[in-house]
Amino acid sequence: MIDQQIPLREEATALPVRPRTGRFLVLSVVFICAACGLVYELELVALASYLIGDSVTQASVVLSVMVFAMGIGSLLAKRLRSRAAVGFGLLEAALALVGGTSALVLYASFAWLGESRYALVGFSLAIGILIGAEIPLLMTLIQRVDRQDAGGAVADLFAADYVGALVGGLAFPFLLLPMTGQLTGALCTGAVNAAAGGALVLWVFRRDLSPRSRRLLIVVDVTVIVLLATATALVDDFERAARRAVYGDEVRVAQQTEVQEIVLTGPGRGTLDLYLDGRLRVSSRDGHRYHEALVHPAMNGTHRRVLILGGGDGLAAREVLRYRDVTSVVVVEVDPAVTRLARTDPALSGLNGNAFDDPRLTTVTGDAFTWLRDTRDRYDVVISDLPDPGVTESTKLYAAEFYGLVARALDPGGRLVVHAGQPGSRPTTFWTVEASVRAGGLDTRPYRVDGRLTGFAAGPGRARGGAEAPRDWGFVLAARKTVGGLGLDPGAPALRTLGERELLAGLHSAERVRQHGVSSSTLVHPRYREEP
């Protein structure tokens, strides 16, 4: 029986509170510790998804490693049950320090070492062991304050634990993340964790502690809370230093919106770069190569009404608005901060030719999938300028169901063009997009254009996606009927001489490297994986 395993010294020592009060305080700390533990877990998943990509894989790694480690922690906690009070106090201090600083260390390893996978596994293992050791010790403590049968004690502990996990799980996305950010949120959670665990032991179980144990616990808790508070005060300086390590010294705009992180660098050395969630989205050095290849083949035909999905930077709209017979352009962008930056930042608005000031252009804030499902408008051209298909968060925007909605929004004879990744280095992803477009009910014509200029790097070395520039860009041109030959509309205004030469020389059919037997991606069976 659990009662018989509690040391005699604890049985003989009267607690400073009544049993019901002590039981309530223990369960309250269980609630707080469970909420903090789940915040650590979610913070690891969220930050790893941002830094490494492929949120499904990162969630699987964190959850599986942490659950395994919790089992190890439960076994290791057996050795501490004879000194449950001081053991629990020191355990919570360690958990607060490790969990509170996990986001900081994970981001630092990414920024300065270029690799955060090992840190992710290490923190998942350490946090899991510490969380797993909590319940056996808390079981001993709750029996200490209010002797009841083991089944009732377990039921009470797990009830408080599960409710605390619910609160922590909801507080992370709706309170901590938007109000404090990932780094500060984790540090504050650690401070609450250390304070709650230390307060319980030093008050309710203070008579079970020897003078030496009491002094040790006070010193450890104060040290942990001071360290976390100091880190919180310095977190802004840390973020700026880490951002310079990732993006260089020319960061002009750094903003965390409800959707993503936006970073704008340059144009100090003649290059303006826009990063969304760490991925290079726009570069003034060679961005025209991508956007001309994306837009102009689809404009070969009727193009009075054009829909751009994504493209909040305004670069695709710039190319569309070169056509004087275009009467209406609708840009559907999920993050209003991107379109606001593209409209107001002098360098970026200059790069997009002040496209958002053109009266023919209308911006809509919303998710492209949801917007297409609700709209009944029809368009001559639909341009899909969305995040890379390998990004887990954008999987539904490359599913067959999405292209079915696009087909519904096309006029008879209308055309769709999709940025489909890199056919050279990521052929499976590229041909999965092509298969998904066909599954949506459209005929396709895949093509590609040579990638970034020789010597181009996607940043100072470690922005998401790595420093290696793509060797090519792949696109899929699609229509309800057989797609004609690629090329510029003969009636279109002349492009920049250099851009036109590069476009005409760089467009190639991708048919010769077609992968046969590639299945389409659907909402219930996504087939995209973010490739290294």
Side-chain angles (χ1 to χ4, degrees), residues 308 389 486 523:
I308 301 176
L486 298 179
L523 292 178

Side-chain angles (χ1 to χ4, degrees), residues 236-297:
D236 289 339
D237 294 332
F238 170 82
E239 285 192 43
R240 282 191 290 269
R243 196 173 288 122
R244 285 195 297 270
V246 175
Y247 299 107
D249 296 327
E250 297 183 355
V251 175
R252 289 198 300 107
V253 176
Q255 179 183 4
Q256 180 66 54
T257 72
E258 295 182 358
V259 178
Q260 61 199 341
E261 182 190 52
I262 302 173
V263 175
L264 188 65
T265 67
R269 297 176 183 173
T271 300
L272 180 73
D273 294 330
L274 174 65
Y275 296 87
L276 301 181
D277 269 350
R279 296 176 178 85
L280 181 62
R281 193 76 177 96
V282 170
S283 176
S284 62
R285 184 176 181 184
D286 64 353
H288 62 280
R289 297 160 60 87
Y290 166 84
H291 290 95
E292 289 171 357
L294 172 71
V295 171
H296 294 293

Side-chain angles (χ1 to χ4, degrees), residues 496-509:
R496 295 187 304 275
T497 304
L498 177 63
E500 185 175 9
R501 280 207 310 268
E502 290 174 339
L503 180 62
L504 293 175
L507 281 176
H508 308 285
S509 172

Side-chain angles (χ1 to χ4, degrees), residues 107-175:
Y107 193 26
S109 66
F110 170 78
W112 283 282
L113 301 179
E115 176 58 69
S116 54
R117 289 178 176 86
Y118 299 113
L120 174 67
V121 174
F123 275 110
S124 300
L125 190 64
I127 293 172
I129 290 174
L130 294 170
I131 291 176
E134 287 178 329
I135 293 297
L137 299 180
L138 285 167
M139 182 72 176
T140 303
L141 293 178
I142 198 170
Q143 290 274 26
R144 169 79 175 87
V145 299
D146 186 12
R147 296 187 180 280
Q148 61 184 121
D149 64 281
V154 169
D156 290 342
L157 280 175
F158 281 123
D161 186 74
Y162 294 152
V163 174
L166 170 66
V167 173
L170 295 176
F172 178 74
F174 298 114
L175 183 64

Side-chain angles (χ1 to χ4, degrees), residues 92-98 190-191 194 218-230:
E92 290 308 302
L95 179 58
L97 183 62
V98 174
I218 292 173
V219 169
V220 169
D221 278 335
V222 170
T223 301
V224 168
I225 292 174
V226 169
L227 286 174
L228 295 173
T230 302

